Coordinates of all heavy atoms in Angstrom, one line a residue:
Chain A
V34 N -21.5 -78.3 36.9 CA -21.0 -77.3 35.9 C -19.6 -76.9 36.4 O -19.4 -76.5 37.5 CB -21.9 -76.1 35.9 CG1 -21.3 -75.0 35.0 CG2 -23.3 -76.4 35.4
R40 N -10.4 -65.9 39.4 CA -9.0 -65.6 39.7 C -8.2 -66.9 39.7 O -8.7 -68.0 40.1 CB -8.9 -65.0 41.1 CG -9.3 -63.5 41.0 CD -8.6 -62.7 42.0 NE -8.8 -63.2 43.4 CZ -9.9 -63.0 44.1 NH1 -10.9 -62.3 43.5 NH2 -10.0 -63.4 45.3
N49 N -19.6 -75.3 41.8 CA -20.4 -75.0 42.9 C -21.4 -76.1 43.2 O -22.4 -75.9 43.9 CB -21.2 -73.7 42.7 CG -22.1 -73.8 41.5 OD1 -22.2 -74.8 40.8 ND2 -22.8 -72.7 41.2
M52 N -22.7 -76.7 46.7 CA -23.7 -75.7 47.1 C -25.0 -76.0 46.5 O -26.1 -75.9 47.1 CB -23.2 -74.3 46.8 CG -22.1 -73.8 47.7 SD -20.8 -73.0 46.8 CE -21.4 -71.4 46.7
F89 N -17.2 -73.9 47.4 CA -16.6 -74.1 46.1 C -15.6 -75.1 46.2 O -14.8 -75.2 47.2 CB -15.9 -72.8 45.6 CG -16.9 -71.7 45.2 CD1 -17.1 -70.6 46.0 CD2 -17.5 -71.8 44.0 CE1 -18.0 -69.6 45.6 CE2 -18.3 -70.8 43.6 CZ -18.6 -69.7 44.4
R307 N -55.9 -58.0 2.1 CA -56.6 -56.7 2.2 C -58.0 -56.8 1.6 O -58.3 -57.7 0.8 CB -55.8 -55.7 1.5 CG -54.4 -55.5 2.0 CD -53.7 -54.3 1.2 NE -52.3 -54.2 1.7 CZ -51.3 -54.7 1.1 NH1 -51.5 -55.5 0.0 NH2 -50.1 -54.5 1.5
E308 N -58.7 -55.7 1.8 CA -60.1 -55.6 1.2 C -60.0 -55.7 -0.3 O -60.9 -56.2 -0.9 CB -60.6 -54.2 1.6 CG -62.1 -54.1 1.8 CD -62.5 -52.8 2.3 OE1 -61.7 -52.0 2.9 OE2 -63.7 -52.4 2.2
H342 N -39.7 -55.8 16.0 CA -40.1 -56.7 17.1 C -41.6 -56.9 17.3 O -42.0 -58.0 17.7 CB -39.5 -56.2 18.5 CG -40.2 -55.0 19.0 ND1 -41.4 -55.0 19.6 CD2 -39.8 -53.7 18.9 CE1 -41.8 -53.8 19.9 NE2 -40.8 -53.0 19.5
R410 N -20.1 -55.7 20.4 CA -21.1 -55.5 21.4 C -22.2 -56.6 21.3 O -22.4 -57.1 20.2 CB -21.8 -54.1 21.2 CG -20.9 -52.9 21.2 CD -20.2 -52.7 22.5 NE -19.3 -51.6 22.5 CZ -18.1 -51.7 23.1 NH1 -17.7 -52.8 23.7 NH2 -17.3 -50.6 23.0
D413 N -28.1 -57.2 21.4 CA -29.3 -56.5 21.9 C -28.9 -55.3 22.7 O -29.6 -54.8 23.6 CB -30.2 -57.4 22.7 CG -29.5 -58.3 23.7 OD1 -28.4 -58.0 24.1 OD2 -30.0 -59.4 24.0
S428 N -3.0 -48.8 19.0 CA -3.5 -49.8 20.0 C -4.8 -49.3 20.6 O -5.5 -50.1 21.2 CB -2.5 -49.9 21.1 OG -2.2 -48.7 21.7
Y434 N -5.1 -53.9 17.5 CA -4.4 -54.6 18.6 C -4.3 -56.1 18.4 O -3.2 -56.7 18.6 CB -5.1 -54.2 19.9 CG -4.5 -54.7 21.1 CD1 -3.5 -54.1 21.8 CD2 -5.0 -55.9 21.7 CE1 -3.0 -54.6 23.0 CE2 -4.5 -56.5 22.8 CZ -3.5 -55.8 23.5 OH -2.9 -56.3 24.7
Y437 N -2.3 -57.0 15.2 CA -0.9 -56.8 15.5 C -0.2 -58.0 16.2 O 0.9 -58.3 15.9 CB -0.7 -55.5 16.3 CG 0.8 -55.2 16.7 CD1 1.7 -55.1 15.7 CD2 1.1 -55.0 18.0 CE1 3.1 -54.8 16.1 CE2 2.4 -54.7 18.4 CZ 3.4 -54.6 17.4 OH 4.7 -54.4 17.8
R441 N 2.8 -59.9 14.6 CA 4.0 -60.1 15.4 C 4.5 -61.6 15.5 O 5.6 -61.9 15.4 CB 3.7 -59.7 16.9 CG 4.8 -58.9 17.5 CD 4.4 -58.4 18.9 NE 5.2 -57.3 19.3 CZ 5.1 -56.7 20.5 NH1 4.2 -57.1 21.4 NH2 5.9 -55.7 20.8
S444 N 6.0 -62.5 12.3 CA 7.3 -61.9 12.2 C 8.3 -62.7 13.0 O 9.5 -62.9 12.6 CB 7.3 -60.5 12.8 OG 8.6 -60.0 13.0
Q448 N 11.8 -64.3 11.6 CA 13.1 -64.1 12.3 C 13.7 -65.4 12.7 O 14.9 -65.6 12.5 CB 12.9 -63.3 13.6 CG 12.3 -61.9 13.4 CD 13.4 -60.9 13.0 OE1 14.6 -61.1 13.2 NE2 12.9 -59.8 12.4
K487 N -20.0 -71.6 24.2 CA -20.8 -70.6 24.8 C -21.3 -69.6 23.8 O -22.5 -69.2 23.8 CB -20.1 -69.9 26.0 CG -20.0 -70.8 27.2 CD -19.2 -70.1 28.3 CE -19.0 -70.9 29.5 NZ -17.8 -70.5 30.3
S510 N 1.8 -59.9 26.6 CA 2.5 -60.0 27.9 C 3.6 -61.1 27.9 O 4.7 -60.9 28.3 CB 1.5 -60.4 29.0 OG 0.7 -59.3 29.3
Y512 N 5.1 -62.1 25.3 CA 6.1 -61.6 24.4 C 7.2 -60.8 25.1 O 8.3 -60.8 24.9 CB 5.5 -60.9 23.3 CG 6.4 -60.2 22.3 CD1 6.9 -61.0 21.2 CD2 6.9 -58.9 22.4 CE1 7.8 -60.4 20.2 CE2 7.8 -58.4 21.5 CZ 8.2 -59.1 20.4 OH 9.0 -58.6 19.5
R513 N 6.6 -60.0 26.1 CA 7.5 -59.1 26.8 C 8.4 -59.9 27.8 O 9.6 -59.6 27.9 CB 6.7 -58.1 27.7 CG 7.5 -57.2 28.6 CD 6.5 -56.5 29.5 NE 5.7 -57.4 30.3 CZ 5.9 -57.7 31.6 NH1 7.0 -57.1 32.2 NH2 5.2 -58.5 32.2
C515 N 9.0 -63.4 27.7 CA 9.8 -64.5 27.3 C 10.3 -64.3 25.9 O 9.6 -64.2 24.9 CB 8.8 -65.7 27.2 SG 8.0 -66.1 28.8
M554 N 2.3 -56.0 9.4 CA 1.6 -54.7 9.4 C 2.5 -53.6 9.4 O 3.7 -53.7 9.7 CB 0.7 -54.6 10.7 CG -0.5 -55.6 10.7 SD -1.3 -55.7 12.3 CE -2.2 -54.1 12.3
Chain B
rG3 P -47.2 -53.4 28.9 OP1 -47.4 -54.6 29.7 OP2 -46.4 -52.2 29.5 O5' -46.4 -53.9 27.6 C5' -46.9 -55.0 26.8 C4' -46.1 -55.1 25.6 O4' -46.2 -53.9 24.8 C3' -44.6 -55.2 25.7 O3' -44.3 -56.6 26.1 C2' -44.1 -54.8 24.4 O2' -44.3 -55.8 23.4 C1' -45.1 -53.7 24.0 N9 -44.5 -52.4 24.4 C8 -44.9 -51.6 25.5 N7 -44.2 -50.4 25.5 C5 -43.3 -50.5 24.4 C6 -42.4 -49.6 23.9 O6 -42.1 -48.5 24.4 N1 -41.7 -50.1 22.8 C2 -42.0 -51.3 22.2 N2 -41.3 -51.6 21.1 N3 -42.9 -52.1 22.6 C4 -43.5 -51.7 23.7
rU5 P -37.5 -58.1 26.0 OP1 -37.0 -59.5 26.0 OP2 -38.1 -57.5 27.2 O5' -36.3 -57.1 25.6 C5' -35.3 -57.4 24.6 C4' -34.4 -56.2 24.3 O4' -35.2 -55.1 24.0 C3' -33.6 -55.7 25.5 O3' -32.5 -56.5 25.8 C2' -33.3 -54.3 25.1 O2' -32.3 -54.3 24.1 C1' -34.6 -53.9 24.4 N1 -35.5 -53.2 25.3 C2 -35.2 -51.8 25.5 O2 -34.2 -51.3 25.0 N3 -36.0 -51.2 26.4 C4 -37.1 -51.7 27.1 O4 -37.8 -51.0 27.8 C5 -37.3 -53.1 26.8 C6 -36.5 -53.8 26.0
rU12 P -21.4 -43.1 27.0 OP1 -22.5 -42.7 26.1 OP2 -21.7 -43.5 28.4 O5' -20.6 -44.2 26.3 C5' -20.2 -44.1 24.9 C4' -19.5 -45.4 24.4 O4' -18.3 -45.5 25.1 C3' -20.2 -46.7 24.8 O3' -21.3 -47.0 23.9 C2' -19.1 -47.7 24.7 O2' -18.8 -48.0 23.4 C1' -17.9 -46.9 25.3 N1 -17.8 -47.2 26.7 C2 -17.0 -48.3 27.1 O2 -16.5 -49.0 26.3 N3 -16.9 -48.5 28.4 C4 -17.5 -47.7 29.5 O4 -17.3 -48.1 30.6 C5 -18.2 -46.6 29.0 C6 -18.4 -46.4 27.7
rC13 P -22.4 -48.0 24.3 OP1 -23.3 -48.2 23.1 OP2 -23.0 -47.6 25.6 O5' -21.6 -49.4 24.5 C5' -22.0 -50.4 25.4 C4' -20.8 -51.3 25.5 O4' -19.8 -50.6 26.3 C3' -21.1 -52.6 26.3 O3' -21.6 -53.5 25.4 C2' -19.7 -53.0 26.7 O2' -19.0 -53.6 25.6 C1' -19.0 -51.6 27.0 N1 -19.1 -51.3 28.4 C2 -18.2 -51.9 29.3 O2 -17.4 -52.8 28.8 N3 -18.2 -51.6 30.6 C4 -19.0 -50.7 31.0 N4 -19.0 -50.4 32.3 C5 -19.9 -50.0 30.2 C6 -19.9 -50.3 28.9
rA14 P -22.4 -54.8 26.0 OP1 -23.3 -55.3 24.9 OP2 -23.1 -54.5 27.3 O5' -21.3 -55.8 26.2 C5' -20.8 -56.1 27.5 C4' -19.7 -57.0 27.5 O4' -18.6 -56.4 28.1 C3' -20.0 -58.3 28.4 O3' -20.5 -59.3 27.7 C2' -18.6 -58.6 29.0 O2' -17.8 -59.3 28.1 C1' -18.1 -57.2 29.2 N9 -18.4 -56.5 30.5 C8 -19.3 -55.5 30.6 N7 -19.4 -55.1 31.9 C5 -18.6 -56.0 32.6 C6 -18.2 -56.2 33.9 N6 -18.7 -55.4 34.9 N1 -17.4 -57.2 34.3 C2 -16.9 -57.9 33.3 N3 -17.1 -57.9 32.0 C4 -18.0 -56.9 31.7
rU16 P -22.7 -63.4 33.4 OP1 -23.8 -62.8 32.7 OP2 -22.5 -63.1 34.8 O5' -22.7 -65.0 33.2 C5' -23.3 -65.6 32.1 C4' -22.6 -66.8 31.7 O4' -21.2 -66.6 31.3 C3' -22.4 -67.8 32.9 O3' -23.6 -68.5 33.1 C2' -21.3 -68.7 32.4 O2' -21.7 -69.7 31.5 C1' -20.4 -67.7 31.7 N1 -19.3 -67.2 32.6 C2 -18.1 -67.9 32.5 O2 -18.0 -68.9 31.8 N3 -17.1 -67.5 33.4 C4 -17.2 -66.4 34.3 O4 -16.3 -66.1 34.9 C5 -18.5 -65.7 34.2 C6 -19.5 -66.1 33.4
rU17 P -24.3 -68.3 34.6 OP1 -24.7 -66.9 34.7 OP2 -23.4 -68.9 35.6 O5' -25.6 -69.2 34.4 C5' -26.5 -69.0 33.3 C4' -27.6 -70.0 33.5 O4' -27.1 -71.3 33.2 C3' -28.2 -70.1 34.9 O3' -29.0 -69.0 35.2 C2' -28.9 -71.4 34.8 O2' -30.1 -71.3 34.2 C1' -27.8 -72.2 34.0 N1 -26.9 -72.9 34.9 C2 -27.2 -74.2 35.2 O2 -28.2 -74.8 34.9 N3 -26.3 -74.9 36.0 C4 -25.1 -74.3 36.5 O4 -24.4 -75.0 37.2 C5 -24.9 -73.0 36.1 C6 -25.7 -72.4 35.3
rG19 P -23.6 -66.1 39.2 OP1 -23.1 -65.2 38.2 OP2 -23.3 -67.6 39.2 O5' -23.2 -65.6 40.6 C5' -21.9 -65.2 40.9 C4' -21.6 -65.8 42.3 O4' -22.5 -66.8 42.7 C3' -20.2 -66.4 42.4 O3' -19.4 -65.6 43.2 C2' -20.4 -67.8 43.1 O2' -19.7 -67.9 44.3 C1' -21.9 -67.7 43.5 N9 -22.7 -68.9 43.6 C8 -23.1 -69.7 42.6 N7 -23.9 -70.7 43.0 C5 -24.0 -70.5 44.4 C6 -24.7 -71.2 45.4 O6 -25.4 -72.1 45.3 N1 -24.5 -70.6 46.7 C2 -23.7 -69.5 46.9 N2 -23.7 -69.1 48.2 N3 -23.1 -68.8 46.0 C4 -23.2 -69.4 44.8
rA20 P -18.9 -64.2 42.7 OP1 -20.0 -63.2 42.9 OP2 -18.1 -64.2 41.5 O5' -17.9 -64.0 43.9 C5' -18.3 -63.9 45.3 C4' -17.2 -64.5 46.2 O4' -17.2 -65.9 45.9 C3' -15.9 -63.9 45.8 O3' -15.6 -62.7 46.5 C2' -14.9 -65.0 46.0 O2' -14.3 -65.0 47.3 C1' -15.8 -66.3 46.0 N9 -15.6 -67.2 44.8 C8 -16.0 -67.1 43.6 N7 -15.6 -68.1 42.8 C5 -14.8 -68.9 43.6 C6 -14.1 -70.0 43.4 N6 -14.1 -70.7 42.3 N1 -13.4 -70.5 44.5 C2 -13.5 -69.9 45.6 N3 -14.1 -68.8 45.9 C4 -14.8 -68.3 44.9
rU21 P -16.0 -62.1 47.9 OP1 -15.2 -62.5 49.1 OP2 -17.5 -62.1 48.0 O5' -15.4 -60.8 47.4 C5' -15.8 -59.5 47.8 C4' -14.7 -58.6 47.2 O4' -13.4 -59.0 47.6 C3' -14.8 -58.6 45.6 O3' -14.7 -57.2 45.2 C2' -13.5 -59.3 45.3 O2' -12.9 -58.7 44.1 C1' -12.6 -59.0 46.5 N1 -11.5 -60.0 46.7 C2 -10.2 -59.7 46.3 O2 -10.0 -58.6 45.9 N3 -9.3 -60.6 46.5 C4 -9.5 -61.9 47.1 O4 -8.5 -62.6 47.2 C5 -10.8 -62.2 47.4 C6 -11.8 -61.3 47.2
rG25 P -7.3 -52.6 29.8 OP1 -5.9 -53.0 29.5 OP2 -7.6 -51.8 31.0 O5' -7.8 -51.7 28.5 C5' -7.8 -52.3 27.2 C4' -8.7 -51.5 26.3 O4' -10.1 -51.7 26.7 C3' -8.5 -50.0 26.4 O3' -7.4 -49.6 25.6 C2' -9.8 -49.5 25.8 O2' -9.9 -49.7 24.4 C1' -10.8 -50.5 26.5 N9 -11.2 -49.9 27.8 C8 -10.9 -50.3 29.0 N7 -11.5 -49.7 30.0 C5 -12.3 -48.8 29.3 C6 -13.2 -47.8 29.8 O6 -13.4 -47.5 31.0 N1 -13.8 -47.1 28.8 C2 -13.6 -47.4 27.4 N2 -14.3 -46.6 26.6 N3 -12.8 -48.3 26.9 C4 -12.2 -48.9 27.9
rC36 P 14.8 -56.6 18.5 OP1 14.6 -56.0 17.2 OP2 14.3 -56.0 19.7 O5' 14.3 -58.1 18.5 C5' 14.7 -59.0 17.4 C4' 13.6 -60.0 17.1 O4' 13.5 -60.9 18.2 C3' 12.2 -59.5 16.9 O3' 12.0 -59.0 15.6 C2' 11.4 -60.7 17.2 O2' 11.2 -61.4 16.0 C1' 12.2 -61.5 18.1 N1 11.7 -61.6 19.5 C2 11.7 -62.8 20.1 O2 12.2 -63.8 19.5 N3 11.3 -62.9 21.4 C4 10.8 -61.9 22.0 N4 10.4 -62.0 23.3 C5 10.8 -60.6 21.4 C6 11.2 -60.5 20.2
rU37 P 10.6 -58.6 15.0 OP1 9.8 -59.8 15.2 OP2 10.8 -58.0 13.7 O5' 10.0 -57.4 16.0 C5' 10.6 -56.2 16.3 C4' 9.5 -55.1 16.1 O4' 8.8 -55.3 14.9 C3' 8.5 -55.1 17.3 O3' 8.7 -53.9 18.0 C2' 7.2 -55.2 16.6 O2' 6.3 -54.2 17.0 C1' 7.5 -54.9 15.1 N1 6.6 -55.6 14.2 C2 5.7 -54.8 13.5 O2 5.5 -53.6 13.8 N3 4.9 -55.5 12.6 C4 5.0 -56.8 12.2 O4 4.3 -57.2 11.4 C5 6.0 -57.6 12.9 C6 6.8 -57.0 13.9
rA38 P 8.6 -53.7 19.5 OP1 9.9 -53.5 20.0 OP2 7.8 -54.8 20.1 O5' 7.7 -52.4 19.8 C5' 6.3 -52.3 19.7 C4' 5.9 -50.9 20.0 O4' 6.2 -50.6 21.4 C3' 6.6 -49.9 19.1 O3' 5.7 -48.9 18.7 C2' 7.6 -49.3 20.1 O2' 7.9 -47.9 19.8 C1' 6.9 -49.4 21.4 N9 7.8 -49.5 22.5 C8 8.6 -50.5 23.0 N7 9.3 -50.3 24.0 C5 9.0 -49.0 24.3 C6 9.4 -48.1 25.3 N6 10.3 -48.4 26.2 N1 8.9 -46.8 25.3 C2 8.0 -46.5 24.4 N3 7.5 -47.2 23.4 C4 8.1 -48.5 23.4
rA39 P 5.0 -49.0 17.3 OP1 5.8 -50.1 16.5 OP2 4.9 -47.7 16.7 O5' 3.6 -49.6 17.6 C5' 2.7 -48.8 18.3 C4' 1.2 -49.3 18.1 O4' 1.0 -49.3 16.7 C3' 1.1 -50.7 18.6 O3' -0.2 -50.9 19.1 C2' 1.3 -51.5 17.3 O2' 0.5 -52.7 17.3 C1' 0.7 -50.6 16.2 N9 1.4 -50.8 14.9 C8 2.6 -51.0 14.6 N7 2.8 -51.1 13.3 C5 1.6 -51.0 12.8 C6 1.1 -51.0 11.5 N6 1.8 -51.2 10.4 N1 -0.2 -50.8 11.3 C2 -1.0 -50.6 12.4 N3 -0.7 -50.6 13.6 C4 0.6 -50.8 13.8
rG40 P -0.5 -50.8 20.6 OP1 -1.9 -51.4 20.9 OP2 -0.2 -49.5 21.0 O5' 0.6 -51.8 21.3 C5' 0.5 -53.2 21.1 C4' 1.6 -53.9 21.8 O4' 2.9 -53.2 21.4 C3' 1.6 -53.7 23.3 O3' 0.8 -54.7 23.9 C2' 3.1 -53.9 23.7 O2' 3.4 -55.3 23.5 C1' 3.7 -53.1 22.5 N9 3.9 -51.7 22.9 C8 3.2 -50.6 22.4 N7 3.5 -49.5 23.0 C5 4.5 -49.9 23.9 C6 5.1 -49.1 24.9 O6 5.1 -47.8 25.0 N1 6.0 -49.8 25.7 C2 6.1 -51.2 25.6 N2 6.9 -51.7 26.5 N3 5.5 -51.9 24.7 C4 4.7 -51.2 23.9
rC41 P 0.0 -54.3 25.3 OP1 -0.9 -55.4 25.6 OP2 -0.4 -52.9 25.3 O5' 1.3 -54.5 26.3 C5' 1.9 -55.8 26.5 C4' 3.0 -55.6 27.4 O4' 3.9 -54.5 27.0 C3' 2.6 -55.1 28.8 O3' 2.2 -56.2 29.6 C2' 3.9 -54.5 29.3 O2' 4.9 -55.5 29.7 C1' 4.4 -53.8 28.1 N1 4.0 -52.4 28.0 C2 4.7 -51.4 28.7 O2 5.5 -51.8 29.5 N3 4.3 -50.2 28.6 C4 3.3 -49.8 27.8 N4 3.0 -48.5 27.8 C5 2.6 -50.8 27.0 C6 3.0 -52.0 27.1
rC42 P 1.1 -56.0 30.7 OP1 0.8 -57.3 31.3 OP2 0.0 -55.1 30.3 O5' 1.9 -55.2 31.9 C5' 3.0 -55.8 32.6 C4' 3.6 -54.8 33.5 O4' 4.2 -53.8 32.7 C3' 2.6 -54.1 34.4 O3' 2.3 -54.9 35.5 C2' 3.5 -52.9 34.8 O2' 4.5 -53.2 35.8 C1' 4.2 -52.6 33.5 N1 3.4 -51.5 32.8 C2 3.6 -50.2 33.2 O2 4.3 -50.0 34.1 N3 2.9 -49.2 32.5 C4 2.1 -49.5 31.5 N4 1.5 -48.5 30.9 C5 1.9 -50.9 31.1 C6 2.6 -51.8 31.7
rC71 P -35.6 -43.7 18.2 OP1 -35.1 -43.1 17.0 OP2 -36.5 -42.9 19.1 O5' -36.2 -45.1 18.0 C5' -35.5 -46.1 17.2 C4' -36.2 -47.4 17.3 O4' -36.2 -47.8 18.7 C3' -37.7 -47.5 16.9 O3' -37.9 -47.5 15.5 C2' -38.1 -48.8 17.6 O2' -37.6 -49.9 16.9 C1' -37.3 -48.7 18.9 N1 -38.1 -48.0 20.0 C2 -39.0 -48.9 20.7 O2 -39.1 -50.1 20.4 N3 -39.8 -48.3 21.6 C4 -39.8 -47.0 21.9 N4 -40.6 -46.5 22.8 C5 -38.9 -46.2 21.2 C6 -38.1 -46.7 20.2
rC75 P -54.0 -52.4 9.8 OP1 -54.0 -50.9 9.9 OP2 -55.1 -53.1 10.5 O5' -54.0 -52.7 8.2 C5' -53.4 -53.9 7.7 C4' -53.6 -53.9 6.2 O4' -54.9 -54.3 6.0 C3' -53.5 -52.4 5.7 O3' -52.4 -52.3 4.8 C2' -54.9 -52.0 5.2 O2' -54.9 -51.4 4.0 C1' -55.6 -53.4 5.2 N1 -57.0 -53.4 5.6 C2 -58.0 -53.6 4.6 O2 -57.6 -53.9 3.5 N3 -59.3 -53.6 5.0 C4 -59.6 -53.4 6.3 N4 -60.9 -53.4 6.6 C5 -58.6 -53.1 7.2 C6 -57.3 -53.1 6.9
rC76 P -51.9 -52.2 3.5 OP1 -52.4 -51.1 2.8 OP2 -52.3 -53.5 3.0 O5' -50.3 -52.2 3.5 C5' -49.6 -51.5 4.5 C4' -48.3 -51.1 3.8 O4' -47.6 -50.1 4.6 C3' -47.3 -52.3 3.7 O3' -47.6 -53.1 2.6 C2' -46.0 -51.5 3.6 O2' -45.8 -51.1 2.3 C1' -46.2 -50.3 4.5 N1 -45.7 -50.6 5.9 C2 -44.5 -50.0 6.2 O2 -43.9 -49.3 5.3 N3 -44.0 -50.2 7.4 C4 -44.6 -50.9 8.4 N4 -44.1 -51.0 9.5 C5 -45.9 -51.5 8.1 C6 -46.4 -51.3 6.8
rA77 P -47.2 -54.6 2.5 OP1 -47.6 -55.1 1.2 OP2 -47.7 -55.3 3.7 O5' -45.6 -54.6 2.6 C5' -44.8 -54.4 1.4 C4' -43.4 -54.2 1.8 O4' -43.4 -53.3 2.9 C3' -42.7 -55.4 2.4 O3' -42.2 -56.2 1.4 C2' -41.7 -54.9 3.3 O2' -40.6 -54.4 2.6 C1' -42.4 -53.6 3.9 N9 -43.1 -54.0 5.2 C8 -44.4 -54.5 5.3 N7 -44.7 -54.7 6.6 C5 -43.6 -54.2 7.3 C6 -43.3 -54.1 8.7 N6 -44.2 -54.5 9.6 N1 -42.2 -53.6 9.0 C2 -41.3 -53.2 8.1 N3 -41.4 -53.3 6.8 C4 -42.6 -53.8 6.4

Side-chain angles (χ1 to χ4, degrees):
Chain A
V34 177
R40 284 210 301 283
N49 60 1
M52 285 135 88
F89 285 101
R307 300 182 184 94
E308 213 174 340
H342 71 79
R410 304 295 177 225
D413 45 25
S428 60
Y434 180 86
Y437 177 56
R441 222 176 201 184
S444 170
Q448 299 279 339
K487 284 175 182 160
S510 293
Y512 178 87
R513 177 188 58 103
C515 301
M554 289 171 76

